[in-house]
Structures are given as C-alpha cells and as structure tokens.
Amino acid sequence: MPRPLGELEDAVMTRVWQWNRPVTVREVLEDLQQERSIAYTTVMTVMDNLHQKGWVRREAEGRAYRYTAVSTRPAYSAALMNEAWSTSDNPAAALVAFFGMMSTEQREALRAAIRIVQHDDPEDTGTAASGAAPAEPAEPEGDSAAPRPEPGR
C-alpha cells in the first residue's frame, strides 16, 4: 500500500473521488480556491505526484491531462486500517481497542459489513448462516475516545 496521503493530496483526491469522472487540474484548482489561496502550478504538481504514486491515471486531452482515480475512497480507507492493524504486535488487542473507540453508528456499520461479508461467503457457517446477528463489541468504560490498554501491558 502506498503511504498515506498528505493534506493537499487528500484534498485533491477527495474531489477526484467525489466527482467520479475524469478531471482537469483547472477544475480541481477552481474548487480548491473556494477554500484557500492556491496556485495552478501547485495543484498541477500535486496531481502529477498522485499520478507518479499510482493514485490516479491520466490521459492527454489537448495540452492538458484528465485525471481519474485508480481506486475508491473506501478502498483507500480500508487499506489504511489494514496497514495499521497488520503492523500491531497484538492485532486482537488493537481490534478490541478500535471497536471500543467506535460510536454506536460505526458499530452498526461494522455489523452490517460483517453480515454482507458472511452472506457472500458460502464457506462461512457463522452467524449469517444461523440467522443470528453478529456479536456486538463490548461497550467501553468511561471516555469512548480513550484507547484501551492492551491486555498484559
């Protein structure tokens, strides 16, 4: 997975993902200028960097390029979560801490995602096959924004 996007890279990619069509530097520039003062050459450099890093593909159109996202925002977010989780020395504890930080809405989204994945997996004989809802992560005690310590530490 490529390294996480920088702040300006993320601002550019957000537009590319939201518009879901080939975009020009000029279009991105004009939208970014509604929030900040930024030069055409800066946006052009960022989009060229995103192309070099494999985030966007581009096709020439006259003297300019049209850029298209190579992947989706959800796939990018999933890759970031997977990278963070897989580098933990205790992945189970990292997941428990992560679940403990989730809001009620996020936990419901997690349950829905698990149901979808289990429904799509004919080999899975877990909760989806029995019709039972997946187990809910335990409610954190105290401040839900504070990470829980890893067990044994």
Side-chain angles (χ1 to χ4, degrees):
M1 183 193 97
R3 66 178 172 73
L5 297 171
E7 186 266 332
L8 189 51
E9 291 173 329
D10 186 71
V12 169
M13 284 305 301
T14 294
R15 283 147 180 87
V16 174
W17 282 319
Q18 285 177 341
W19 296 339
N20 196 27
R21 61 173 174 76
V23 300
T24 64
V25 170
R26 176 74 51 205
E27 291 171 313
V28 174
L29 170 72
E30 289 172 358
D31 200 61
L32 285 170
Q33 284 179 331
Q34 294 177 27
E35 301 172 358
R36 64 178 90 192
S37 176
I38 191 166
Y40 179 91
T41 53
T42 301
V43 177
M44 183 175 63
T45 299
V46 169
M47 293 185 81
D48 184 61
N49 289 344
L50 290 167
H51 175 256
Q52 298 299 321
K53 293 176 181 180
W55 287 105
V56 294
R57 68 178 60 90
R58 66 185 180 193
E59 291 186 29
E61 184 177 285
R63 293 178 28 190
Y65 288 107
R66 286 214 173 259
Y67 294 84
T68 308
V70 170
S71 188
T72 64
R73 167 74 82 178
Y76 168 67
S77 297
L80 287 178
M81 288 186 287
N82 186 57
E83 178 72 15
W85 178 64
S86 66
T87 59
S88 172
D89 61 344
N90 189 337
L95 283 174
V96 168
F98 179 63
F99 295 157
M101 291 180 213
M102 293 175 125
S103 68
T104 301
E105 293 81 16
Q106 290 170 322
R107 285 192 303 275
E108 185 51 43
L110 175 63
R111 282 193 222 59
I114 290 170
R115 285 191 294 270
I116 291 167
V117 170
Q118 289 175 334
H119 184 274
D120 290 346
D121 184 0
E123 298 293 317
D124 188 351
T125 58
T127 58
S130 68
E136 180 175 337
E139 287 290 330
E141 294 179 23
D143 182 6
S144 64
R148 293 181 176 172
E150 291 186 10
R153 293 199 175 198

